[in-house]
Amino acid sequence: EPNLITTQVEPHDTYAKLFDLLKRTAVILSSFCEDMWRYISDDWVKQKAALGEVGSSVMPHKVNPINFENAEGNLNFAISQCEFLARQLPRMRLQRHLSDSTVIRNFGVTFGHLLLACKEILTGLGKIAPDPRAMKQVLMERPEVIAEAYQTILRREGLTDPYKQLSELTRGKHVSLKELRTFVRGLHLTPSVEKELLTLSPEKYTGLASTLATLPCAP
């Protein structure tokens, strides 16, 4: 809807809202691309080698996450443009200056980089697949992750400061599953609670993730 009453310069409040929203969206997508790059680097996610694609100038075996890298670059450029547009367009020196006219001509450049980034992400997602075996191997090497479950259950049972006890046992250390279970047995818990803790394992414990994942997103 148009602004029915305005000065010589339309205030561009709606543009500011639009580009602030696009900036936040682009930041989320850029962070996603960074994460995907890391998952691919750690071999948690495998890429399909595209026929004729150059992987690396010096490493012929390498399959670069080029789509996510291209998307990240385009998104970060668009973020800087969105920040500038959202900041610049509402500015009105005595409600009369016309610097907005040249700025508005760059909308297409910003939208173009955002569109290209989205296309690159979709292309990249079509070329990858998770590697459950690699993920499980890494997870089993770090059984201390179930310390989260331990301290939550022990709090429920009323133990004094279980977080501190588990922090002293695990923080900054590689702790084996055997050591964690020895810790549990030394607490002299009721048989049912001890069994509950001893049956926990890194590959099975997901906390409330399955429940939280089904909750509706905030508007």
Side-chain angles (χ1 to χ4, degrees):
E1 297 179 2
N3 285 319
L4 299 180
I5 301 175
T6 182
T7 61
Q8 178 178 339
V9 181
E10 202 276 333
H12 298 327
D13 291 349
T14 53
Y15 283 154
K17 292 178 181 178
L18 171 64
F19 286 109
D20 271 332
L21 175 61
L22 290 173
K23 180 195 71 175
R24 293 196 298 272
T25 303
V27 167
I28 293 169
L29 290 174
S30 179
S31 179
F32 170 75
C33 290
E34 292 175 6
D35 288 346
M36 290 307 304
W37 190 97
R38 180 60 187 268
Y39 296 149
I40 292 168
S41 177
D42 288 343
D43 287 329
W44 293 10
V45 171
K46 298 292 186 182
Q47 291 190 112
K48 300 175 186 175
L51 186 65
E53 184 178 87
V54 177
S56 169
S57 58
V58 294
M59 292 178 283
H61 64 281
K62 190 175 181 185
V63 182
N64 283 328
I66 187 169
N67 298 108
F68 295 110
E69 292 174 336
N70 284 342
E72 182 185 343
N74 280 286
L75 287 164
N76 290 340
F77 179 83
I79 289 166
S80 66
Q81 293 297 102
C82 288
E83 287 177 339
F84 167 73
L85 292 168
R87 183 177 67 249
Q88 177 65 25
L89 289 173
R91 297 170 65 89
M92 293 181 292
R93 184 168 54 253
L94 301 179
Q95 292 79 44
R96 290 195 173 276
H97 79 123
L98 299 175
S99 66
D100 63 333
S101 63
T102 189
V103 171
I104 287 173
R105 292 188 179 98
N106 289 282
F107 282 7
V109 175
T110 305
F111 285 121
H113 282 278
L114 289 168
L115 178 60
L116 181 57
C118 290
K119 287 184 175 181
E120 290 282 2
I121 290 173
L122 290 173
T123 300
L125 289 173
K127 294 162 59 176
I128 62 172
D131 187 339
R133 185 173 61 179
M135 294 179 181
K136 183 177 180 179
Q137 180 180 344
V138 174
L139 188 61
M140 295 306 292
E141 289 173 356
R142 303 306 300 256
E144 61 268 22
V145 295
I146 61 173
E148 172 195 333
Y150 279 11
Q151 63 96 14
T152 301
I153 293 170
L154 293 174
R155 282 181 176 182
R156 183 195 71 195
E157 297 301 314
L159 268 74
T160 303
D161 205 356
Y163 180 91
K164 182 179 179 182
Q165 294 182 58
L166 283 154
S167 178
E168 291 174 351
L169 176 67
T170 64
R171 192 163 186 258
K173 304 172 185 176
H174 286 289
V175 182
S176 68
L177 195 57
K178 181 179 178 180
E179 289 175 288
L180 287 166
R181 288 171 175 168
T182 299
F183 167 79
V184 169
R185 292 188 178 97
L187 295 174
H188 307 295
L189 302 166
T190 61
S192 60
V193 175
E194 182 175 293
K195 181 180 179 181
E196 181 182 6
L197 291 171
L198 293 178
T199 55
L200 288 172
S201 61
E203 76 272 25
K204 293 181 180 178
Y205 171 69
T206 57
L208 297 176
S210 59
T211 301
L212 296 175
T214 62
L215 295 178
C217 296

